[in-house]
Amino acid sequence: IICSGGSVQNIDWMKIRANVFKFNLNIDTNIENVSLGSAILAGIGSNIYKDDKDAFKKIKNKFKVIKSNKKYHKNYINYGIKYNSSVEILSKLNNIL
């Protein structure tokens, strides 16, 4: 998974995301990703690149990797289940009140 944007500056948030998704996250060091994406699409459309894989191979962006810690994945899933249960109970109480 490739991540970009303002949230990538918070490394703790990226670690949580990696653990929830159970995948390593590749954080793009390029801060102009919107412009880069537009340029890649233009390059594909004008046959400068054969496809997206060809474009990424030629551009060679640098990524910082946030590794997933699979032992935490179950914890986050359990938190999600508890959260959903709480929301359901609170919704029922809200409807009663």
Side-chain angles (χ1 to χ4, degrees):
I1 297 175
I2 298 174
C3 299
S4 64
S7 66
V8 300
Q9 295 174 6
N10 186 330
I11 297 302
D12 292 328
W13 174 236
M14 292 298 104
K15 288 177 183 177
I16 290 171
R17 289 178 69 183
N19 294 334
V20 168
F21 293 141
K22 209 157 105 175
F23 287 106
N24 292 341
L25 300 182
N26 295 292
I27 303 200
D28 195 346
T29 57
N30 177 9
I31 60 171
E32 292 296 334
N33 287 311
V34 173
S35 300
L36 179 61
S38 298
I40 289 170
L41 288 174
I44 293 169
S46 60
N47 294 320
I48 292 172
Y49 305 119
K50 290 185 273 187
D51 55 22
D52 58 334
K53 291 177 184 156
D54 181 42
F56 288 118
K57 185 168 55 171
K58 290 178 179 172
I59 291 170
K60 298 181 182 174
N61 276 13
K62 293 181 182 173
F63 295 97
K64 178 179 181 178
V65 178
I66 303 292
K67 296 198 179 261
S68 172
N69 188 334
K70 292 175 179 52
K71 76 176 186 178
Y72 292 123
H73 177 74
K74 279 189 178 181
N75 291 346
Y76 286 112
I77 296 303
N78 289 334
Y79 293 145
I81 291 168
K82 288 178 185 176
Y83 173 79
N84 285 337
S85 299
S86 299
V87 168
E88 287 176 30
I89 291 167
L90 291 172
S91 292
K92 289 176 184 175
L93 283 173
N94 189 41
N95 289 336
I96 292 170
L97 298 174

